[in-house]
Amino acid sequence: MGQRFSRLEVIGLTPPRAGRRLWLCKCDCGNMKETRSNGLSSGDVQSCGCLQKEAGTRNLLAAITKHGLAHTREY
């Protein structure tokens, strides 16, 4: 408890469900996330999903803008 993994801070363990114990984590954005310990230690889980959403927004803007020269004299 108290350890940080990228944007997630471990709060504690959840009650067992289907024989599995999950870690309850708080993301820097304020959301809560339940995840397995191997996801945290391997680095596969880095946030509650906000990191992927932010990256997707940046990639979407880059995909929409092809060259940015549409309103220039050369174009």
Side-chain angles (χ1 to χ4, degrees):
M1 290 179 19
Q3 288 185 327
R4 292 194 63 85
F5 297 90
S6 191
R7 291 187 176 194
L8 295 174
E9 180 181 355
V10 177
I11 303 298
L13 281 170
T14 63
R17 285 183 287 183
R20 292 189 175 176
R21 305 268 317 203
L22 299 174
W23 290 100
L24 180 63
C25 302
K26 183 175 182 182
C27 186
D28 288 347
C29 70
N31 290 332
M32 302 299 276
K33 168 101 175 149
E34 293 179 352
T35 186
R36 296 183 304 186
S37 59
N38 63 343
L40 291 172
S41 60
S42 68
D44 289 340
V45 179
Q46 297 180 358
S47 70
C48 66
C50 63
L51 188 61
Q52 186 174 3
K53 289 176 189 172
E54 289 174 12
T57 303
R58 285 190 296 252
N59 292 340
L60 178 62
L61 292 175
I64 292 171
T65 306
K66 294 183 179 181
H67 50 70
L69 301 174
H71 301 289
T72 63
R73 184 175 178 179
E74 291 82 17
Y75 184 72

